Amino acid sequence: MHDYILSCCSTCDLTAQHLKDLNIEYVPFHFILDGQEYDDDLGQSISYDEFYRRMEEGADTRTSQVNVSEYVEFFTPFLEAGKDILHVSVSSGLSGSCNSALNAARILKERYPDRKLTVVDSLAAASGYGLLMDKAAQLRDEGMSLDELASWLNENKLKLHHWFFSTDLKYYVKGGRISKASGFVGTVLGICPLLNVDLNGRLMPREKVRSKKKVIRQIVKMMEQHAQGGADYDGKVYLCQSACMEDAQAVADLVKEKFPRMNGEPLINHIGATIGSHSGPGTVALFFWGDPRKN
């Protein structure tokens, strides 16, 4: 195994123990809940149940990305210990954090000219980002060097699919993504928007599906259309959810039925506080390896 640090942001939406088991370091984003600031430390400072309960009760939520100085502080101890670093950042299409990491790398290159600090834009988020990190850790452990792994990630990251649906439109209205009138009509009609992450790492609306039952079938249909190997898909499947485990389990059960050769059981994680502050409760996401993403 090559001796370098592999790191990411807390927006990978895996558990702290999962990252520890993979020997991956992480830097936390931040969120503000009713005026109190927290680190997005993967549900350790405040539980996911409490976070989403308070959102449902009307709590005000805001988020802040990792800034340059925080990245400098995060990277410095590893560099001082003589370690090289491969940092995989959350999608630049969703956050400016990747640019902050790149600026920190430029600053630290002057301080530690003999060390290597490489930043890769994942063009991914939530547990899709987590699935990418899982694969990165596997390849590192199989002996891939820092440069080889960075190249592999850049060549393959757009094969990672992210599909999302939401069953509660009020958070889309609150965030200004849809109008109050559209939100009211969509709620009356039972509309569940289906979205994905495009090749620029941006979250894009794709379909308006009427009823939760239909959108659960539709999100798995997207996997049927795009998964590597089709019904013979043998990779891992990750999901994440925000206070709607029953809906996520329904998707997982259907995935198991359609893809009997996948690698293990679908892993269901929580949508963390950073992304959950924008999506709100009632969101389910499905992640898998597939054909190259398109706009």
Side-chain angles (χ1 to χ4, degrees):
M1 183 172 66
H2 286 272
D3 189 21
Y4 57 88
I5 300 297
L6 182 60
S7 66
C8 64
C9 312
S10 61
T11 46
C12 67
D13 288 351
L14 299 178
T15 66
Q17 186 61 51
H18 192 148
L19 290 175
K20 183 178 180 181
D21 291 343
L22 293 176
N23 194 24
I24 296 174
E25 303 288 343
Y26 79 92
V27 57
F29 270 56
H30 316 284
F31 65 96
I32 298 171
L33 184 65
D34 277 343
Q36 182 174 349
E37 182 171 330
Y38 299 85
D39 283 341
D40 181 1
D41 56 3
L42 308 174
Q44 297 177 99
S45 294
I46 180 172
S47 72
Y48 297 113
D49 288 343
E50 180 182 352
F51 175 75
Y52 287 114
R53 175 184 59 78
R54 290 175 64 179
M55 280 196 78
E56 288 176 335
E57 292 172 352
D60 179 59
T61 59
R62 290 181 288 131
T63 61
S64 62
Q65 65 192 32
V66 186
N67 62 37
V68 176
S69 62
E70 288 172 318
Y71 270 119
V72 168
E73 183 179 356
F74 172 69
F75 292 140
T76 295
F78 304 122
L79 298 171
E80 286 187 342
K83 301 287 188 180
D84 295 329
I85 304 169
L86 174 56
H87 180 73
V88 186
S89 177
V90 68
S91 174
S92 62
L94 298 172
S95 169
S97 180
C98 183
N99 190 54
S100 295
L102 289 167
N103 285 331
R106 283 190 279 269
I107 292 169
L108 290 167
K109 182 63 178 175
E110 296 180 3
R111 299 181 189 175
Y112 302 93
D114 296 329
R115 296 268 58 87
K116 183 177 293 184
L117 201 178
T118 301
V119 177
V120 171
D121 182 355
S122 70
L123 297 179
S127 294
Y129 180 17
L131 183 53
L132 187 68
M133 295 309 301
D134 185 289
K135 185 66 175 180
Q138 175 193 331
L139 294 172
R140 175 205 59 198
D141 293 347
E142 291 174 354
M144 196 172 276
S145 70
L146 187 157
D147 289 341
E148 289 170 336
L149 181 52
S151 294
W152 188 94
L153 290 169
N154 282 320
E155 291 169 5
N156 290 276
K157 61 191 178 185
L158 289 177
K159 297 175 184 175
L160 188 58
H161 279 247
H162 305 55
W163 289 90
F164 298 76
F165 70 77
S166 181
T167 59
D168 191 339
L169 298 182
K170 69 182 177 184
Y171 300 97
Y172 287 74
V173 174
K174 186 176 180 180
R177 291 186 293 277
I178 63 175
S179 68
K180 289 184 179 180
S182 295
F184 174 77
V185 172
T187 299
V188 170
L189 295 178
I191 297 296
C192 299
L194 181 65
L195 312 92
N196 78 341
V197 172
D198 70 4
L199 59 82
N200 294 308
R202 302 170 302 184
L203 188 60
M204 304 294 289
R206 298 301 183 188
E207 298 181 29
K208 297 177 181 178
V209 184
R210 193 167 180 177
S211 86
K212 183 193 298 185
K213 187 175 181 180
K214 288 181 180 178
V215 81
I216 287 171
R217 291 199 301 266
Q218 188 64 12
I219 199 171
V220 178
K221 185 178 179 181
M222 293 300 101
M223 184 171 173
E224 291 180 278
Q225 291 179 6
H226 295 286
Q228 291 177 352
D232 292 327
Y233 177 75
D234 60 0
K236 292 183 179 181
V237 175
Y238 280 7
L239 296 96
C240 58
Q241 54 81 33
S242 54
C244 54
M245 179 60 79
E246 185 176 331
D247 297 338
Q249 189 61 58
V251 174
D253 290 343
L254 190 54
V255 167
K256 287 192 287 186
E257 176 187 325
K258 298 290 185 180
F259 302 93
R261 297 185 182 181
M262 68 179 159
N263 183 352
E265 293 280 311
L267 178 65
I268 303 176
N269 298 293
H270 293 276
I271 294 177
T274 298
I275 294 173
S277 292
H278 303 283
S279 68
T283 297
V284 175
L286 174 64
F287 311 99
F288 56 90
W289 293 98
D291 53 6
R293 289 185 230 161
K294 298 178 182 178
N295 273 341

